[in-house]
């Protein structure tokens, strides 16, 4: 800042005046410079601010335009994407529609092909069945001709021997007229003598026929399995119906009125089979022992009756072997089902299905015999294997099976239909035939199986047997219980047990019941000793082995004095009735 020379400096005034003037001039000049500088700086800042603001506005405008351009681009891209997705969706929908149409065409074509294949298979099966029926019919005619020829020879031989046999046996055949009206063959009982060759051939032919029926029933089972695969409705019900029948048979117990529900369930199941599944059908001539005309019946109905018969036999084996009285209600239900008119085809009962199973599991009932020491003989005697090719079942298990089957056969064949409107499909003369078949086994061929089976047949059925056949039954019981055990091998336990049944022909059987308990006790002790020896344990019972006990059978009643009874408490055998088990 320039300093102006004071005009007063040369003056002769006071120096203070000069200093004051100079200072005032200095202050004015300095303020003006300041204001000028401030104005200049303010203008510069304003220009800078305006320039920055212009730049910011330009930049913001650029950003805005860029954003709008990007937005337009994104909107366009989104629209294109949407249009592309819509086009793809329309294409996929069209593709699925075309695929559905094609699939429906394939399914329709496959259904038509399956229907045609099923029809062809059904026609082929029908033709095969018809051919099989024709073949079996021809075989049956040849077989019947042979049987008729053998029967004629047998009748001639029997006519020649009849007088001789009756005189030797002293059987009062007139008592047979008291028997049931369904037992015409028992009016002149078959003599208990060695059978001739024609009788053997007849029994073997009959046995083979029933074995063939059993084989055909297995083929029927396979046929039904194949049918179930082709018919979904049949498949969904067949298994349930089979299980319902098996379960209902297993629920049969002793006691009046106790079996109403299981019997009703069995009948309802069989009715459903006839009503709901009348097709396919089978020829009943395949499943009957005697020749009949070709008769068609619903295959499921016959299949379920076969399952019913199988369950009945299984129940005899499992339950009646333990307590033979259980066989009676099972036999009652079984024979009533085969006797009902609604379960017959015309007048034909399907009882041969059940008897065919007895021919398989218990051939001795029908005169078949063999040596228990050989596999072939055991097969002919009804011995069983748990599985084909496996060892035979234990001896005790075999004896239990024969006991149950014998009791079951008696329960089936000794039924009284006098007061029923139904016809007995298996009259009592079949029981007589079973007894004589066992008693007519040749000497040297009597086995433990025959003895056990004979005891099972008579154990709880001797009273009904005598009611049907009267004095003829008593005579046959004498032969069965007194003479037949002597034909057994020496030391036979079954023969000893059978001999104790001899008291059944007496009026008062209470002594017999007590005696049976004693013999049963010795039998159990003998089995216990055998088990201990087989398992390496001390046998025990030394006193029993050293001093053989003697059982003395006294009089049936006290010889004198008052007769006291407490059967209501002690039971008729003195041990609460354990003799029945």
């Amino acid at each position: 800042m320039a300093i102006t020379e004071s005009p007063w400096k040369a003056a002769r005034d006071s120096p203070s005046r000069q200093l004051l003037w100079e200072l005032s001039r200095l202050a004015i000049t300095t303020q003006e410079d300041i204001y000028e500088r401030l104005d200049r700086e303010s203008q510069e800042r304003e220009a800078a601010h305006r320039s920055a603001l212009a730049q910011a506005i330009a930049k913001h405008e650029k950003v805005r335009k860029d954003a709008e351009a990007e937005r337009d681009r994104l909107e366009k891209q989104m629209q294109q994407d949407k249009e592309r997705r819509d086009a793809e969706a329309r294409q996929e929908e069209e593709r699925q529609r075309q695929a559905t149409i094609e699939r429906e065409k394939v399914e329709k074509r496959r259904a038509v092909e399956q229907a045609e294949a099923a029809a062809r298979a059904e026609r082929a099966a029908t033709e095969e069945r018809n051919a099989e029926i024709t073949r079996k019919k021809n075989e049956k005619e040849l077989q019947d001709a042979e049987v008729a020829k053998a029967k004629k020879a047998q009748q001639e031989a029997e006519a020649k021997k009849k007088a001789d046999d009756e005189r030797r046996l002293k059987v009062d055949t007139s008592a047979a007229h008291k028997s049931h009206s369904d037992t015409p063959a028992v009016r002149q009982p078959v003599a208990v003598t060695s059978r001739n060759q024609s009788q053997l051939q007849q029994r073997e032919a009959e046995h083979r026929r029933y074995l063939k029926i059993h084989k055909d029933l297995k083929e029927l089972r396979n046929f039904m399995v194949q049918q179930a695969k082709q018919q979904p409705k049949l498949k969904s019900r067949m298994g349930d119906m089979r299980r319902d029948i098996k379960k209902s048979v297993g629920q049969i117990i002793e006691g009046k009125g106790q079996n109403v529900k299981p019997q009703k369930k069995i009948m309802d199941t069989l009715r459903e089979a006839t009503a709901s599944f009348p097709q396919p059908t089978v020829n009943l001539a395949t499943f009957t022992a005697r020749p009949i005309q070709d008769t068609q019946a619903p295959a499921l109905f016959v299949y379920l009756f076969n399952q019913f018969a199988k369950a009945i036999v299984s129940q005899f084996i499992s339950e009646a072997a333990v307590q033979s009285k259980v066989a009676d209600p099972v036999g009652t239900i079984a024979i009533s089902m085969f006797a009902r008119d609604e379960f017959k085809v015309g007048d034909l009962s399907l009882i041969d299905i059940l008897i065919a199973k007895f021919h398989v599991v218990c051939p001795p009932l029908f005169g078949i015999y063999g040596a228990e020491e050989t596999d072939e003989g055991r097969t002919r005697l009804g011995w069983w294997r748990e599985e084909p090719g496996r060892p035979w079942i234990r001896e005790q298990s075999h004896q239990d099976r024969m006991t149950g089957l014998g009791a079951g056969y008696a329960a089936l064949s000794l039924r009284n239909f006098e007061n029923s409107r139904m016809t007995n499909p298996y009259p009592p003369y079949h029981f007589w035939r079973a007894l004589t078949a066992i008693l007519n086994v040749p000497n040297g061929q009597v086995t433990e199986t025959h003895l056990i089976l004979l005891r099972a047949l008579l154990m709880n059925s001797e009273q009904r047997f005598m009611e049907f056949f009267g004095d003829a039954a008593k005579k046959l019981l004498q032969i069965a219980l007194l003479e037949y055990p002597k034909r057994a091998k020496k030391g036979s336990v079954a023969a000893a047990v059978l001999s104790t049944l001899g008291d059944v022909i007496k009026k008062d059987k209470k002594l017999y019941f007590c005696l049976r308990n004693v013999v049963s006790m010795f039998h159990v002790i003998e089995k216990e000793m055998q088990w201990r020896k087989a398992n390496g344990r001390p046998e025990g019972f030394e006193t029993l082995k050293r001093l053989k006990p003697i059982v003395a059978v006294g009089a049936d009643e006290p010889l004198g004095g008052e007769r006291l009874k407490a059967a209501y408490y002690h039971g008729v055998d003195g041990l609460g009735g354990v003799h029945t088990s």
Side-chain angles (χ1 to χ4, degrees), residues 23-244:
L23 288 173
S24 63
R25 293 299 299 171
L26 179 60
I28 292 171
T29 303
T30 301
Q31 185 176 6
E32 288 177 354
D33 290 341
I34 291 172
Y35 285 154
E36 183 180 356
R37 189 178 70 252
L38 289 176
D39 290 340
R40 188 172 60 254
E41 291 177 356
S42 177
Q43 290 175 357
E44 291 176 354
R45 282 196 298 272
E46 180 180 1
H49 289 165
R50 290 184 180 277
S51 176
L53 183 60
Q55 292 177 358
I57 290 172
K59 187 175 182 179
H60 178 73
E61 183 67 18
K62 183 177 180 300
V63 169
R64 184 183 66 78
K65 289 181 178 180
D66 291 344
E68 288 179 350
E70 183 67 16
R71 183 195 64 190
D72 293 341
R73 186 186 67 78
L74 290 176
E75 288 180 350
K76 184 178 181 181
Q77 183 178 354
M78 290 172 62
Q79 182 65 25
Q80 291 175 348
D81 291 343
K82 182 176 181 299
E83 292 176 353
R84 179 178 54 79
R85 287 194 300 270
D86 291 343
E88 291 176 353
R90 287 192 299 272
Q91 292 175 358
E92 179 64 19
E93 183 178 354
E94 179 64 20
R95 187 187 65 79
Q96 291 181 357
R97 189 178 69 82
Q98 293 295 335
T100 301
I101 294 173
E102 187 65 25
R103 186 169 58 252
E104 289 177 353
K105 290 180 180 179
V106 172
E107 290 177 353
K108 289 180 180 179
R109 185 167 59 252
R110 185 184 296 115
V112 171
E113 292 175 353
Q114 290 177 350
E116 292 176 351
R120 288 194 300 270
E122 180 65 22
R123 286 195 299 271
T126 302
E127 293 173 357
E128 183 178 352
R129 286 198 302 271
N130 292 335
E132 180 69 11
I133 290 170
T134 303
R135 183 183 64 79
K136 291 179 179 178
K137 184 177 180 180
N138 294 335
E139 291 179 356
K140 183 62 177 175
E141 290 175 353
L142 293 175
Q143 183 180 357
D144 289 343
E146 294 177 358
V147 171
K149 184 177 179 181
K151 187 174 181 180
K152 183 178 179 181
Q154 175 191 355
Q155 290 173 348
E156 292 175 355
E158 288 180 352
K160 185 183 295 184
K161 295 168 52 180
K162 179 178 178 181
D164 224 15
D165 293 337
E166 290 179 350
R167 183 169 56 256
R168 183 170 63 251
L169 293 172
K170 297 179 182 179
V171 177
D172 185 6
T173 57
S174 62
H177 292 286
K178 294 165 52 180
S179 62
H180 193 271
S181 59
D182 287 335
T183 60
V186 186
R187 300 186 186 278
Q188 294 180 344
V190 178
V192 186
T193 60
S194 299
R195 294 167 297 179
N196 56 31
Q197 189 65 23
S198 63
Q199 288 176 312
L200 289 174
Q201 292 175 353
Q202 183 179 359
R203 288 187 184 277
E204 291 287 351
E206 180 182 352
H207 183 57
R208 288 194 299 271
R209 173 56 188 154
Y210 275 106
L211 294 183
K212 183 64 169 61
I213 291 175
H214 187 264
K215 182 180 178 181
D216 291 337
L217 288 169
K218 287 189 175 182
E219 293 179 359
L220 172 63
R221 180 187 61 190
N222 296 333
F223 171 72
M224 292 305 300
V225 171
Q226 295 300 322
Q227 289 295 312
K229 292 179 180 179
Q230 300 175 11
Q231 302 182 37
K233 182 181 177 182
L234 176 62
K235 181 179 180 180
S236 64
R237 284 295 298 141
M238 189 171 75
D240 293 337
M241 297 167 85
R242 174 178 56 81
R243 285 185 287 271
D244 288 342

